[in-house]
Amino acid sequence: MTGNAKQYDAIIIGSGFGGLYALYHLRDKMGLNVRAFDGAGGVGGTWWYNRYPGARVDAPSSPFYAYTFSQELVDDWEWKETQTVGPDVLAYLEHFADRFDLLKDIQFETWITDARYDEAAQRWTIETDAGETATAQFLICAVGALFVANKPDYPGIDDFAGVSFHTGRWPHEKVSFAGKRVGVIGTGSSGIQSIPEIAKGAAHVTVFQRTPQYALPARNRPISKEELSRYREDWDDLRMSMRRRGGWPFKTNRRRASDYAPEQRQAVYEELWEEGGIHLSINSYVGVMSDKELNDEVSEFVRGKIREIVRDPETARKLMPDYHFGTKRLILDNGYFETYNRDNVSLVDLREDPIEKFTHASVCTKHGEHPIDMLVLATGFDAVSGSMLNLNPKGRGGVSLKEKWERRFDNYLGATIAGFPNMFMIHGPGAPGVFFAMPLGGELTTAFIGDCIKHIHDKNLGAVEATIDAETSWDREINEIANRTLYPRTNSWYMGANIPGKPRQFLGHLRGSHYFDRLSEVAAGGYEGFVFEPVREEVTS
Ligand code: NAP
């Protein structure tokens, strides 16, 4: 079967931030023969698909939600705003692909229908939906942490005859809401970013909310040329700070809440709310994400802000979040709560008034019928594990990832899986993912993967594989870190709780800088937790 197959050193699946960098690193820095595949029609991953109105960077500032490794790249890209719009991020990634001549090694509009490890050959074989076959010693899965769309299965939803979009599969053509009654289900980052924009054009927007959210004002602003110049001059230091400080180059405040009087703490919260962005969560007092009392205080502060902004007390009541502040992904908003002061926006609280069914022209809840012309599903993703399961590689003995991960997403270092030799993940379960600057996280993970591949080549080895014991202790380590915080107490996609039937497991690593130290230590210490196989006879003969 592999007779006509094209042969590579490494195959990369995905050409978003992670996959593009992996292609650059393995091909240009290591000289490997690499091919990347992507089902999309162009580069960008998340930013290729998430074209909904209002999509913006929700990181502290755009220049740091970008590759860090190349001073030239930093010098030649002009970030315009702190929370830059989605099309600009996509343009940046297209520029990156162009500048480093990556396109010639990416095959677009090609889905991988099978990925299978051949134990005798110590290689991966992939098949595409175009009927092609290719093999490589290494398979790099850069399939995206937020890719598999979660679509609710309400009775009759497929009978809805109006236009319907998922925010994560937004069409490339401009969508007009003019004169339309739009129903939006979901109030996570995508819903909260898009609702204010949709409301500006639509005749009416009905928001169907299951869980009210804490959202902090993004305070998006233009980035001046002087500011960009400063970043460029200090780039090496900033990059080091990002690496050391959990992904962002900002000093966080180390003050203890108990050293301050309640009025002083409120004044600090006010100041940080005005500053905007994630400052309220990272810069107030130590322990906001682990000390319940302190977290309650910050939660109440944000609820107070929502009450101040939203004029109708009944709507404000429905918008009150009651989980621990920050334990779902913190959302940076651009006028979200203010949108409820518009006459053309109404809110349905699904906890009091659940959706019962759809008709061809309306959403029927327990207490009413809501006629709509358009439906926007801002209902999120089968996050982190979902895209790996969608690929469903078959490892040693033909065992599929779906079998291996039936009850738990076992992995080692968030990058490898026992039973799946020579396969690596970027932003897999157990990696910091969204808890760190993802572009830099991808660079650092790829450096680890590259070093491991180099180790294999230098020592003339055939395969590398994580051990089950390493997976077990890694799982313990991840959970110990998570259990010291309030995160596991909340039903969030971090816990897999947004997908019915999905195993509950904390899907990230909360201490990104520590995580990347661990990767370096593992590499420097001779790859503890991995076994290496010599090159098999039949491969060399
Ligand atoms: P999300 O955070 O998972 O939010 C999905 C929303 O849909 C939640 O409000 C959820 O309610 C609701 N929902 C899900 N299933 C539902 C159902 N059957 N009925 C009613 N409501 C339902 O998804 P997202 O907003 O797409 O964001 C996902 C992640 O993508 C974010 O957390 C963030 O990491 C990333 N993101 C980043 C950006 C950026 O600017 N960089 C933008 C968008 C997204 P519950 O809360 O009750 O589950």
Side-chain angles (χ1 to χ4, degrees):
M1 188 191 49
T2 55
N4 294 327
K6 294 191 180 126
Q7 307 212 3
Y8 302 100
D9 295 321
I11 285 174
I12 297 168
I13 308 181
S15 67
F17 262 107
L20 281 179
Y21 180 75
L23 174 56
Y24 162 75
H25 186 98
L26 299 185
R27 189 194 71 178
D28 294 6
K29 289 186 106 173
M30 296 182 63
L32 301 182
N33 176 18
V34 187
R35 185 80 172 155
F37 294 87
D38 199 313
V43 301
T46 284
W47 299 97
W48 169 269
Y49 288 103
N50 286 265
R51 297 171 186 239
Y52 58 83
R56 281 178 181 277
V57 166
D58 67 354
S61 193
S62 304
F64 309 115
Y65 181 77
Y67 295 120
T68 69
F69 72 97
S70 157
Q71 180 75 46
E72 291 73 27
L73 188 61
V74 171
D75 288 346
D76 65 19
W77 191 259
E78 300 286 322
W79 291 108
K80 298 186 189 76
E81 294 175 289
T82 51
Q83 273 79 37
T84 240
V85 289
D88 275 3
V89 185
L90 187 60
Y92 168 78
L93 287 169
E94 287 166 349
H95 166 75
F96 173 67
D98 239 22
R99 194 182 205 292
F100 293 93
D101 199 16
L102 300 178
L103 294 180
K104 65 176 188 224
D105 290 312
I106 310 174
Q107 191 168 321
F108 294 110
E109 295 181 339
T110 306
W111 293 99
I112 306 305
T113 51
D114 192 41
R116 194 172 283 275
Y117 185 65
D118 178 339
E119 289 175 54
Q122 298 174 304
R123 292 176 74 80
W124 283 87
T125 301
I126 58 127
E127 283 175 34
T128 73
D129 59 351
E132 299 155 302
T133 305
T135 83
Q137 188 178 11
F138 301 101
L139 181 69
I140 318 290
C141 306
V143 287
L146 297 155
F147 172 68
V148 176
N150 171 40
K151 192 180 162 203
D153 62 352
Y154 289 115
I157 193 165
D158 291 331
D159 299 335
F160 175 65
V163 184
S164 165
F165 303 117
H166 189 283
T167 46
R169 291 290 178 280
W170 202 261
H172 289 201
E173 308 74 48
K174 191 170 162 45
V175 175
S176 168
F177 301 101
K180 299 280 196 306
R181 295 163 304 175
V182 184
V184 182
I185 303 182
T187 51
S189 307
S190 307
I192 286 182
Q193 285 188 336
S194 58
I195 288 163
E197 294 303 313
I198 296 172
K200 283 178 197 163
H204 192 86
V205 179
T206 308
V207 178
F208 298 91
Q209 168 198 268
R210 188 163 72 180
T211 307
Q213 284 275 17
Y214 300 97
L216 305 176
R219 310 270 186 237
N220 178 45
R221 58 172 175 80
I223 301 185
S224 67
K225 292 221 177 291
E226 295 70 34
E227 189 177 350
L228 267 183
S229 300
R230 275 201 309 278
Y231 292 153
R232 286 170 180 150
E233 276 160 32
D234 297 340
W235 194 249
D236 284 343
D237 289 346
L238 286 166
R239 185 173 191 238
M240 286 307 293
S241 290
M242 290 170 75
R243 166 69 180 79
R244 282 200 309 270
R245 297 197 172 116
W248 312 111
F250 310 116
K251 277 203 178 116
T252 48
N253 220 309
R254 307 305 299 160
R255 60 195 153 193
R256 284 150 39 110
S258 54
D259 293 342
Y260 295 84
E263 317 78 68
Q264 289 174 306
R265 294 203 293 270
Q266 290 298 319
V268 165
Y269 303 147
E270 284 289 350
E271 212 177 279
L272 296 174
W273 174 270
E274 283 314 311
E275 203 169 331
I278 60 169
H279 290 285
L280 183 63
S281 87
I282 62 167
N283 251 341
S284 55
Y285 298 96
V286 174
V288 171
M289 296 312 300
S290 53
D291 175 336
K292 184 180 169 310
E293 239 173 83
L294 179 59
N295 186 286
D296 284 349
E297 187 172 277
V298 177
S299 303
E300 187 46 34
F301 171 81
V302 180
R303 284 192 288 264
K305 285 291 171 194
I306 301 170
R307 275 185 215 106
E308 271 173 32
I309 298 169
V310 179
R311 287 200 286 269
D312 173 40
E314 179 57 9
T315 305
R317 181 188 67 77
K318 291 181 189 168
L319 286 167
M320 287 304 131
D322 57 6
Y323 64 92
H324 297 297
F325 169 80
T327 53
K328 280 175 181 268
R329 165 77 172 195
L330 254 187
I331 298 171
L332 305 188
D333 83 275
N334 288 282
Y336 172 67
F337 294 115
E338 288 82 351
T339 299
Y340 290 97
N341 294 333
R342 297 176 68 109
D343 292 336
N344 68 335
V345 177
S346 51
L347 178 65
V348 176
D349 181 349
L350 298 181
R351 295 170 305 174
E352 299 169 348
D353 188 12
I355 295 175
E356 294 193 325
K357 64 170 186 177
F358 276 71
T359 70
H360 72 286
S362 63
V363 184
C364 300
T365 58
K366 190 171 175 196
H367 300 302
E369 184 166 354
H370 307 272
I372 55 168
D373 309 303
M374 288 176 86
L375 175 64
V376 173
L377 296 172
T379 43
F381 304 90
D382 181 355
V384 190
S385 54
S387 38
M388 281 303 297
L389 287 168
N390 190 46
L391 178 67
N392 196 26
K394 323 289 180 310
R396 209 178 269 292
V399 174
S400 72
L401 191 60
K402 280 188 182 157
E403 291 168 278
K404 161 102 185 178
W405 276 3
E406 200 182 344
R407 288 200 197 85
R408 208 162 172 81
F409 309 115
D410 290 327
N411 67 83
Y412 180 44
L413 300 175
T416 59
I417 304 173
F420 293 77
N422 288 356
M423 185 183 91
F424 296 94
M425 298 179 288
I426 298 175
H427 304 311
V434 300
F435 295 104
F436 194 82
M438 285 186 99
L440 174 58
E443 288 176 35
L444 296 167
T445 307
T446 303
F448 171 78
I449 295 169
D451 287 349
C452 188
I453 291 175
K454 183 170 180 314
H455 180 81
I456 289 170
H457 287 166
D458 288 352
K459 304 256 182 237
N460 198 25
L461 296 163
V464 59
E465 183 181 351
T467 66
I468 296 273
D469 284 351
E471 286 189 336
T472 308
S473 52
W474 181 245
D475 191 40
R476 201 178 313 123
E477 187 172 330
I478 297 275
N479 281 296
E480 271 170 19
I481 296 170
N483 289 338
R484 274 182 243 139
T485 72
L486 299 166
Y487 284 99
R489 300 194 195 186
T490 297
N491 286 330
S492 65
W493 67 253
Y494 297 156
M495 293 297 296
N498 63 329
I499 302 295
K502 183 167 175 170
R504 291 288 173 103
Q505 175 181 343
F506 194 73
L507 288 167
H509 189 296
L510 285 170
R511 295 178 60 203
S513 296
H514 170 78
Y515 167 88
F516 291 109
D517 289 344
R518 284 277 277 123
L519 292 192
S520 305
E521 283 161 21
V522 168
Y527 295 96
E528 192 194 340
F530 288 101
V531 282
F532 289 90
E533 246 180 32
V535 175
R536 287 188 182 235
E537 284 304 311
E538 52 269 56
V539 179
T540 48
S541 62

